């Protein structure tokens, strides 16, 4: 297998998420690919450009939501990444809902939602990485299989390069697929 060296930059794949925060009393959302798991504890991170409108809301309220849009929301999801809340009111793009804490808007149309409380902020160049303790998780009932979130039903988008992709099939189970190798030895 021949390897070709390419440009030094993150290329993906990255999960596509909509991060939500109240800004000046209204829900606002930004599309991010810089979001993920911090550890096995209930903790997520999001990296937001310091100048983003949503960043101000996260800093003001100390909470943010991470919303997993299904692939059929690709147009609205991309729109949230190319239009700033400073210039366009994005509060009516989705139906917001709030946990009893009432701290950050979550998106009804998204198949899975996380409410996070900021526990640490790490400045990195012109971005700020927010480490957030997950304080609530919501998932559409029809996206559960045997009581657990089913990725094929959630149908998240993956961003790679400048394109979005969805999941098509299960290819293996974590902590099980690799056992076949050790069984054959």
């Amino acid at each position: 297998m021949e390897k070709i060296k390419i440009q030094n930059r993150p290329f993906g794949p990255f999960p596509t998420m909509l991060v939500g925060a109240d800004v000046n009393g209204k829900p606002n959302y930004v599309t991010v690919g810089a979001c993920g798991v911090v550890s096995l504890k209930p903790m997520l991170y999001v990296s937001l450009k310091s100048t983003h409108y949503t960043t101000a809301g996260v800093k003001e309220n100390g909470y943010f939501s991470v919303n997993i849009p299904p692939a059929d929301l690709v147009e609205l999801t991309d729109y949230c990444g190319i239009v700033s809340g400073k210039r366009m009111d994005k509060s009516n793009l989705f139906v917001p809902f709030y946990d009893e804490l009432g701290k950050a808007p979550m998106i009804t149309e998204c198949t899975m939602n996380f409410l996070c409380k900021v526990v640490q902020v790490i400045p990195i160049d012109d971005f700020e990485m927010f480490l957030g303790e997950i304080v609530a998780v919501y998932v559409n009932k029809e996206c559960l299989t045997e009581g657990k979130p089913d990725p094929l039903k959630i149908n998240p988008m993956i961003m790679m390069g400048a394109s979005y992709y969805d999941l098509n099939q299960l290819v293996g189970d974590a902590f099980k697929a690799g056992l076949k190798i050790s069984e054959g030895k």
Side-chain angles (χ1 to χ4, degrees):
M1 223 181 306
E2 182 181 2
K3 294 284 186 182
I4 304 295
K5 188 173 183 177
I6 62 174
Q7 182 182 12
N8 288 351
R9 64 178 278 274
F11 191 72
F14 305 113
T16 304
M17 308 288 185
L18 287 162
V19 172
D22 279 332
V23 185
N24 298 322
K26 286 182 157 182
N28 192 72
Y29 311 100
V30 64
T31 307
V32 300
C35 175
V37 175
V38 174
S39 69
L40 293 178
K41 302 289 184 192
M43 186 84 58
L44 294 177
Y45 79 87
V46 295
S47 289
L48 302 175
K49 196 161 182 132
S50 299
T51 57
H52 279 178
Y53 193 65
T54 304
T55 305
V58 174
K59 291 168 103 174
E60 176 187 333
N61 299 302
Y63 285 82
F64 60 91
S65 66
V66 174
N67 304 275
I68 301 176
D72 63 350
L73 286 182
V74 65
E75 291 173 357
L76 282 170
T77 299
D78 193 55
Y79 181 79
C80 286
I82 58 177
V83 174
S84 172
K86 291 176 189 171
R87 292 187 273 301
M88 180 65 64
D89 181 0
K90 295 189 266 184
S91 65
N92 294 317
L93 292 176
F94 304 102
V95 176
F97 75 96
Y98 291 82
D99 186 76
E100 62 268 4
L101 290 173
K103 298 292 187 175
M106 291 177 273
I107 301 172
T108 301
E109 294 86 347
C110 287
T111 48
M112 194 166 188
N113 318 85
F114 299 87
L115 177 63
C116 299
K117 178 182 178 183
V118 176
V119 295
Q120 187 175 352
V121 181
I122 303 167
I124 301 173
D125 296 322
D126 59 343
F127 281 76
E128 295 182 54
M129 179 186 287
F130 295 92
L131 301 182
E133 175 188 0
I134 299 170
V135 296
V137 180
Y138 293 88
V139 65
N140 290 9
K141 187 176 182 178
E142 66 273 8
C143 292
L144 296 173
T145 298
E146 297 177 10
K148 295 180 184 174
D150 184 324
L152 295 176
K153 292 177 181 176
I154 290 169
N155 197 21
M157 283 185 280
I158 303 298
M159 186 185 313
M160 189 154 181
S163 299
Y164 299 104
Y165 301 88
D166 67 357
L167 301 181
N168 286 312
Q169 64 182 345
L170 172 69
V171 295
D173 293 313
F175 305 108
K176 292 181 183 174
L179 292 176
K180 291 179 183 175
I181 294 171
S182 60
E183 290 170 359
K185 292 185 177 188

